[in-house]
Amino acid sequence: MTNIQFPYPEPPAFGKLLDIAPGIMWMRLPLPFRLDHVNIYLIEDGDGWCVLDAGIWDQRTIDLWEAVLAGPLAGSRLTRLIVTHHHPDHIGLAGWLCRRAEIPLLTSQTAYLACANLSLAPGSPQDRQFHDFYINHGTTREVADQMGTHGLDYLRMVSPLPNTFLRLLSRDMITIGARRFRILTGDGHAPEQVMLYCDEDQLFFPADQVIAKISPNVSVWPNEPDGDPLGHFVRTARRIRDNLPDDVLVLPGHQLPFTGLHARCSELVEHHDRRCDLIGEAVRAGPMTVNDLVPVVFPRELDLHQFGFAFSETLAHVNRMLRRGELTRTAGPDGIVRYAASGRRKAEDDI
Ligand SMILES: [Zn+2]
Ligand SMILES: [Zn+2]
């Protein structure tokens, strides 16, 4: 991490605003998870403030927003809300905040539709086909049952979306106050995740695509069982590294702002390469299920909730390795799927 620096080592307390650049304020809101906060940014927008991400839908976060609107933001107005992706820590309060402040929602089409879809059909992860997906990868029934509750959990953390939105598309330019931002989108952590880049002031808001000290979750979900989110994630990391300058101030969705974008993108790619290597070594001893591979990739105690995410992330690595031709996949007569080493690997450019 030698090239990564943290110019603002102390985050603001929950619900407090911290100036980090002219016309840019940083706020933190709490989350009821092990990752206990999300970063919100306010960007000066004429006579008001454009908000980047909203926080999760719960009473504590609503109370903090109300205190900010009545306190440091009293006398100024919010102009619009940009939401980076459909995860509840970012989009959860979007509907509430847009109605409360009477502002429009701007986001990617996929973020809007993914949230709308999950909200309309929260019970769908309990479908038989999705349940069998986990069982066939070797999990216990307990884990398969737990994974089926995801849609309902999501619904509890997300307020109803506004009926309208404005689509942000990769390569769009957007003017916020005196600044021009390029819209970029990334994939792998969440599909079509919105990122903002201001070339003139060297500011980059990657949301959850690039975070300083944690590797963003990259997961295969049962609605796209053969998907390759890790391939998408790695390609996005390389594209960011190759196309943005290294000396930007990175203002991410979690943890601290930092500089050293190129080094962090490279670290993230190497981190996933190492995890693939661990899987490659393990299957040399014989075919294994995804369930068998979870402790290989995550060799620590996991509760049921953490196991669900670890399973989905392990499968993301397995699917990447299948595409690269490093693994073969066989379903036994019991329907259980096992992976074995193929002894070869395609060049990255072939995939
Ligand atoms: Zn996220
Ligand atoms: Zn997040």
Side-chain angles (χ1 to χ4, degrees):
M1 300 275 273
T2 47
N3 294 326
I4 296 170
Q5 309 283 334
F6 300 94
Y8 303 92
E10 278 304 315
F14 289 139
K16 300 287 179 223
L17 300 176
L18 184 70
D19 287 307
I20 43 169
I24 308 274
M25 295 194 287
W26 172 25
M27 175 167 84
R28 273 196 167 175
L29 292 172
L31 297 177
F33 311 125
R34 208 164 66 125
L35 180 60
D36 64 358
H37 69 274
V38 59
N39 293 330
I40 309 295
Y41 298 98
L42 291 107
I43 305 171
E44 195 167 29
D45 191 13
D47 63 348
W49 296 90
C50 168
V51 182
L52 185 62
D53 282 333
I56 207 164
W57 186 35
D58 65 13
Q59 196 55 49
R60 194 176 168 202
T61 310
I62 288 174
D63 292 346
L64 284 165
W65 264 119
E66 290 289 7
V68 169
L69 294 172
L73 288 182
S76 54
R77 66 186 189 100
L78 302 185
T79 57
R80 44 193 159 166
L81 170 65
I82 296 177
V83 163
T84 58
H85 62 298
H86 75 280
H87 292 164
D89 44 336
H90 301 262
I91 206 168
L93 261 188
W96 178 87
L97 190 60
C98 287
R99 277 183 281 274
R100 168 70 179 78
E102 299 181 5
I103 53 174
L105 169 66
L106 290 69
T107 191
S108 70
Q109 181 153 302
T110 309
Y112 187 84
L113 294 180
C115 180
N117 184 44
L118 278 161
S119 303
L120 286 171
S124 64
Q126 288 167 322
D127 286 354
R128 177 66 194 263
Q129 184 192 352
F130 293 166
H131 195 265
D132 288 352
F133 163 82
Y134 292 105
I135 300 291
N136 292 342
H137 278 303
T139 75
T140 61
R141 294 212 168 268
E142 201 185 5
V143 168
D145 292 346
Q146 147 89 14
M147 297 305 283
T149 66
H150 264 181
L152 299 167
D153 289 345
Y154 185 84
L155 205 58
R156 275 193 283 274
M157 299 184 279
V158 176
S159 61
L161 276 180
N163 291 328
T164 60
F165 77 110
L166 178 68
R167 183 181 184 189
L168 297 176
L169 194 68
S170 177
R171 311 303 298 166
D172 278 354
M173 292 299 294
I174 177 171
T175 301
I176 305 175
R179 289 191 174 92
R180 298 268 291 158
F181 289 87
R182 168 88 57 201
I183 301 295
L184 306 171
T185 55
D187 268 275
H189 172 71
E192 211 187 353
Q193 198 224 240
V194 169
M195 303 180 284
L196 265 63
Y197 169 58
C198 176
D199 185 44
E200 207 173 352
D201 292 340
Q202 297 291 285
L203 300 170
F204 179 46
F205 296 87
D208 288 3
Q209 199 77 43
V210 190
I211 301 174
K213 289 187 176 173
I214 46 176
S215 165
N217 177 262
V218 176
S219 285
V220 169
W221 301 109
N223 61 344
E224 197 194 358
D226 298 325
D228 182 24
L230 182 54
H232 305 158
F233 183 82
V234 165
R235 276 199 294 280
T236 301
R238 291 197 179 121
R239 209 175 62 229
I240 291 170
R241 187 184 60 195
D242 294 345
N243 290 293
L244 295 192
D246 191 30
D247 54 358
V248 292
L249 175 63
V250 184
L251 299 158
H254 302 276
Q255 299 189 326
L256 296 174
F258 65 96
T259 57
L261 177 65
H262 289 188
R264 187 57 189 148
C265 288
S266 298
E267 281 178 2
L268 287 169
V269 172
E270 286 157 16
H271 163 83
H272 290 295
D273 281 346
R274 278 197 302 279
R275 287 191 160 175
C276 288
D277 290 346
L278 289 173
I279 292 173
E281 280 163 29
V283 294
R284 258 190 246 139
M288 294 173 83
T289 66
V290 173
N291 189 60
D292 297 333
L293 286 165
V294 170
V296 171
V297 182
F298 296 91
R300 60 173 192 265
E301 193 84 18
L302 300 169
D303 65 26
L304 203 56
H305 180 77
Q306 291 166 330
F307 182 90
F309 280 98
F311 170 90
S312 297
E313 183 133 358
T314 302
L315 182 53
H317 290 78
V318 165
N319 281 0
R320 175 94 285 251
M321 294 172 76
L322 269 178
R323 295 231 181 166
R324 286 199 302 228
E326 287 169 84
L327 297 179
T328 59
R329 168 194 162 117
T330 321
D334 52 359
I336 305 293
V337 176
R338 289 184 174 78
Y339 298 88
S342 71
R344 61 192 175 83
R345 174 174 168 169
K346 289 181 202 159
E348 196 77 37
D349 290 347
D350 293 350
I351 305 158

